[in-house]
Amino acid sequence: MQKTLYEVLKIAFPELKNAPLPEELDNFESFGAWLNQLHSNLQQLDMEDFRQNGIDECRRLQQLNIDLDELKNQIETEMNAFYQMYEEGDRELDAEPAHAYDFEFTYSVIFNNIKLFIQPYDLALLVIEHENPYWMLVPNNEDLVSQIILTFNDIFGDEEPMVLID
């Protein structure tokens, strides 16, 4: 099953076709290093600083000539509106702003905006649920996406499950 994951990912990322497999096929760090050895295919989202989201580094977004500044500005606008809402409502209640802990909202804003920007390109957004989530863009082929998720979750899913963002 471990080799199957890497073989399926070679379909999603053809540039990895001749890349040697990592020695530890079931080690998440080795998996990430393998995916990113030629280009940034797997990005990490820093939940403490939503601006550190991997958008600038994402090879697929660069290849599509997506206006990355527009994407980042859209995320920034939504996050700032959220912050202002909390700051107005919770100013006297808590020294630590509530939005600092609302990771689900941050997760949703970033991934929904990425999804919106890639929609015309027939790509799927896969997210590895981790303390600081990882994400990747793959061709939106139902069988391919299903195989990637299934094989990934068989290997890593107990700690870091992968999901499709619809």
Side-chain angles (χ1 to χ4, degrees):
M1 190 58 95
Q2 295 165 347
K3 281 192 176 181
T4 304
L5 171 62
Y6 292 89
E7 294 305 315
V8 171
L9 286 168
K10 287 180 183 183
I11 296 168
F13 301 100
E15 69 271 18
L16 295 172
K17 181 180 177 185
N18 296 319
L21 297 180
E23 287 184 28
E24 297 180 65
L25 297 176
D26 60 351
N27 176 282
F28 186 76
E29 287 76 28
S30 297
F31 167 79
W34 180 82
L35 260 177
N36 288 342
Q37 64 184 298
L38 300 174
H39 306 290
S40 185
N41 295 314
L42 181 67
Q43 286 65 237
Q44 186 174 21
L45 173 63
D46 183 342
M47 295 304 284
E48 296 292 327
D49 181 2
F50 71 89
R51 291 170 195 88
Q52 302 300 316
N53 51 35
I55 288 172
D56 283 329
E57 295 80 22
C58 179
R59 172 73 171 175
R60 283 250 158 87
L61 292 177
Q62 293 169 358
Q63 289 176 317
L64 296 171
N65 292 320
I66 288 178
D67 187 341
L68 301 180
D69 288 331
E70 183 181 344
L71 172 56
K72 293 184 298 186
N73 287 339
Q74 182 64 34
I75 292 168
E76 179 98 23
T77 299
E78 287 184 40
M79 293 301 295
N80 284 338
F82 181 69
Y83 290 165
Q84 286 176 349
M85 178 182 71
Y86 264 115
E87 288 170 5
E88 290 170 6
D90 291 343
R91 194 166 293 146
E92 305 93 29
L93 302 176
D94 190 356
E96 185 70 35
H99 69 265
Y101 302 106
D102 200 331
F103 297 130
E104 190 65 35
F105 182 81
T106 301
Y107 182 97
S108 179
V109 166
I110 291 170
F111 293 136
N112 286 339
N113 276 288
I114 291 171
K115 186 81 171 134
L116 181 69
F117 274 71
I118 65 167
Q119 195 169 23
Y121 301 100
D122 203 29
L123 293 171
L125 173 59
L126 301 180
V127 174
I128 299 168
E129 296 179 342
H130 194 263
E131 183 176 322
N132 285 307
Y134 290 83
W135 60 276
M136 69 175 92
L137 301 175
V138 299
N140 191 17
N141 173 300
E142 190 175 327
D143 291 335
L144 178 66
V145 169
S146 178
Q147 284 185 320
I148 292 171
I149 292 171
L150 177 67
T151 56
F152 180 91
N153 286 339
D154 279 348
I155 299 167
F156 301 108
D158 289 342
E159 296 177 24
E160 295 130 347
M162 180 183 284
V163 296
L164 171 67
I165 301 297
D166 289 324

